[in-house]
Amino acid sequence: MPEGDTLRRAAEVLTPVLEGQIVTDLWFKKLRGYRPRVGDTIRSVDAVGKYLLIEFDRKLVLHTHLGMTGSWRVAPLDRAHPRDPKLRILIETAAGRALCFAAPDISTHISGSGTAPADRLGPDLSNNDVNVDEVLARSRRRSSEATTLAELLLDQQVAAGVGNVFKSEALFVAGLHPFTLVNEVTDEQLAKLWSIAHRQLVVNRDKPYRSTTGPGSPDRTHVYGRHHFACLRCDNAVAFSAAGERTARSTYWCPSCQPVAR
């Protein structure tokens, strides 16, 4: 599932093929906005939160959000174009070919216009340095009386990069129940939660496989995807709430290690 760490790795893979290169071939499916052109130079490749940004000439920036199953890949020029119904973007340069599959959100925007989804994001937790005080202030401003911690972590306008995996994993490490209301926790607890999420994203930027359990563990996650399996810490069964049941996204937690706030 693509989250902030996945997009950072994608940007690193795409950069040698795209950055500073002239576009020699180009194809899009379901692009919203102005279309880049063959002959344009690609100025930069970057990732912000869960968006991958490719800037062309004329300050035109291609935004892709990978959703649940999207991906970016690179391929050599001597390989035939893939005939895949999930293919959404093909960008070719003298250095290779970049391919985007299954992305649900593809659009272009003028850099600095303020119209792009990435322009509205909070601080990117995949960055080395994050102002936790700013994230904390955004948490308080954007939370209603009914906002839960699970919902807060996925609010990209509070802080960018956390998806469904890191949501459950950060809450487990912080020892907080996912459906605790934001206004029921202290600033210290919130700051700790966001710091854990930040650390998890940064640590996973350069890993081929996501892991939140640390080196030497045979399991890659504490609770995510482990419904009915034993908690790695206390041996109690991991609990699960399906998408749409209590929040828009599915959630995993340990009832013992993350007790309901009293």
Side-chain angles (χ1 to χ4, degrees):
M1 185 179 298
E3 302 191 23
D5 58 328
T6 308
L7 274 298
R8 284 303 180 102
R9 289 196 297 273
E12 291 177 2
V13 170
L14 293 175
T15 294
V17 172
L18 299 181
E19 197 164 87
Q21 299 289 329
I22 296 173
V23 176
T24 57
D25 195 8
L26 194 63
W27 177 86
F28 291 97
K29 183 177 182 180
K30 297 182 180 179
L31 170 68
R32 291 183 291 108
Y34 295 108
R35 183 185 179 91
R37 300 177 296 206
V38 170
D40 283 352
T41 298
I42 298 173
R43 302 299 180 184
S44 64
V45 179
D46 199 6
V48 179
K50 294 193 282 185
Y51 287 90
L52 190 122
L53 314 181
I54 301 174
E55 182 169 354
F56 298 82
D57 288 335
R58 300 169 287 140
K59 295 186 176 181
L60 188 63
V61 183
L62 173 66
H63 285 60
T64 56
H65 190 291
L66 300 182
M68 297 285 286
T69 59
S71 64
W72 274 97
R73 307 173 202 169
V74 296
L77 296 176
D78 58 2
R79 185 178 300 173
H81 288 197
R83 297 182 179 277
D84 189 325
K86 294 182 179 180
L87 183 64
R88 298 291 182 267
I89 303 171
L90 180 150
I91 305 173
E92 192 171 292
T93 73
R97 188 178 294 131
L99 306 165
C100 181
F101 296 87
D105 186 358
I106 303 169
S107 59
T108 55
H109 305 266
I110 303 300
S111 177
S113 65
T115 62
D119 294 336
R120 299 187 291 272
L121 298 179
D124 189 345
L125 296 181
S126 297
N127 290 336
N128 287 332
D129 299 316
V130 172
N131 187 335
V132 177
D133 289 338
E134 180 184 351
V135 177
L136 186 60
R138 286 171 173 261
S139 298
R140 295 303 186 190
R141 285 198 305 268
R142 288 189 55 81
S143 297
S144 69
E145 292 184 359
T147 303
T148 66
L149 293 176
E151 293 168 320
L152 177 72
L153 284 171
L154 294 181
D155 187 341
Q156 301 299 296
Q157 293 188 46
V158 174
V162 173
N164 220 30
V165 178
F166 287 115
K167 175 198 74 178
S168 291
E169 292 297 290
L171 284 164
F172 173 83
V173 175
L176 295 171
H177 195 281
F179 303 127
T180 299
L181 298 179
V182 175
N183 61 14
E184 293 179 350
V185 298
T186 65
D187 285 352
E188 290 74 18
Q189 288 174 304
L190 265 186
K192 178 182 177 182
L193 176 61
W194 284 118
S195 296
I196 291 168
H198 170 228
R199 183 173 68 248
Q200 291 179 342
L201 279 162
V202 170
V203 166
N204 278 279
R205 283 186 320 204
D206 302 320
K207 291 182 178 180
Y209 299 102
R210 182 181 295 142
S211 174
T212 59
T213 54
S217 174
D219 298 286
R220 293 181 185 164
T221 58
H222 295 284
V223 289
Y224 183 84
R226 293 179 51 80
H227 184 211
H228 289 322
F229 284 90
C231 171
L232 301 180
R233 183 182 294 166
C234 75
D235 211 35
N236 194 5
V238 171
F240 170 71
S241 176
E245 195 171 85
R246 299 186 65 174
T247 57
R249 303 288 297 277
S250 59
T251 304
Y252 300 82
W253 74 97
C254 173
S256 298
C257 299
Q258 299 166 260
V260 176
R262 300 295 182 185

